[in-house]
């Protein structure tokens, strides 16, 4: 029975093959963008997903002020007002709410970089451009 030995692969932070992605938020719907980015940060799209470790990728979001969407619920400030005051907060808040509420969630949130304009300072990491609309949902 030695030929049927299967091993469960448990990936940790050191041997996770982390990549860098850049996502353009211009014209994207806030909730759909946030949920896809949260899945990438968590690593759920990878075959080696391990729920208790940081095996997700790093994500850079540019053009955060051009995101569209109408979140519901009672608000003190509308999304339009918040985008004028601090454009990156709306995206960061939506994505943070979709990550685990543990130490792991805080660690995963540090892999997210949100910028207002089209420029970012992570060219040295050679990020891959990711188009959110082309990702297929597996059901």
């Amino acid at each position: 029975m030695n030929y049927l030995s299967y091993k469960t692969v448990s990936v940790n932070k050191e041997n996770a093959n982390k990549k860098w992605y850049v996502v353009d938020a211009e014209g994207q719907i806030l909730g759909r963008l946030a949920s896809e980015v949260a899945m990438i940060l968590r690593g759920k799209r990878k075959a080696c997903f391990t729920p208790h470790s940081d095996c997700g990728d790093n994500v850079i979001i540019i053009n955060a002020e051009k995101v569209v969407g109408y979140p519901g619920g009672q608000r003190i400030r509308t999304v339009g007002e918040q985008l004028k005051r601090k454009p990156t907060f709306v995206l960061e808040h939506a994505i943070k709410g979709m990550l685990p509420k543990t130490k792991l969630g805080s660690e995963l949130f540090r892999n997210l970089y949100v910028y207002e304009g089209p420029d970012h300072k992570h060219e040295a990491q050679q990020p891959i451009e990711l188009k959110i609309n082309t990702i297929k949902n597996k059901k």
Side-chain angles (χ1 to χ4, degrees):
M1 290 294 230
N2 195 10
Y3 62 92
L4 287 178
S5 63
Y6 294 104
K7 284 184 157 184
T8 302
V9 178
S10 183
V11 178
N12 58 11
K13 189 175 181 178
E14 287 77 31
N15 59 5
N17 188 13
K18 295 176 81 83
K19 296 179 181 174
W20 284 77
Y21 292 108
V22 63
V23 176
D24 190 4
E26 184 175 0
Q28 297 288 329
I29 298 171
L30 176 66
R32 293 178 190 269
L33 175 67
S35 64
E36 290 296 329
V37 169
M39 293 278 272
I40 295 167
L41 286 172
R42 185 84 198 271
K44 285 202 161 190
R45 299 258 184 234
K46 291 185 169 185
C48 61
F49 171 66
T50 307
H52 58 79
S53 67
D54 180 8
C55 59
D57 297 318
N58 297 303
V59 178
I60 304 162
I61 299 178
I62 56 174
N63 292 324
E65 76 276 0
K66 296 178 183 174
V67 72
V68 294
Y70 304 97
Q74 187 176 9
R75 304 280 180 204
I76 296 171
R77 266 187 218 104
T78 64
V79 176
E81 292 171 358
Q82 189 64 35
L83 282 171
K84 288 178 186 172
R85 290 184 61 154
K86 189 175 178 189
T88 61
F89 175 78
V90 176
L91 263 172
E92 289 173 351
H93 186 69
I95 294 169
K96 187 169 184 135
M98 296 179 185
L99 291 175
K101 306 328 185 250
T102 58
K103 292 178 186 176
L104 176 64
S106 299
E107 190 176 331
L108 293 172
F109 187 68
R110 287 187 215 116
N111 296 333
L112 176 69
Y113 304 92
V114 182
Y115 296 101
E116 293 178 28
D119 301 324
H120 60 87
K121 59 181 181 179
H122 302 283
E123 289 88 12
Q125 283 75 25
Q126 300 171 347
I128 302 165
E129 184 178 353
L130 182 68
K131 298 195 183 300
I132 295 294
N133 296 337
T134 61
I135 295 176
K136 300 282 185 193
N137 289 331
K138 297 177 184 175
K139 292 183 181 182

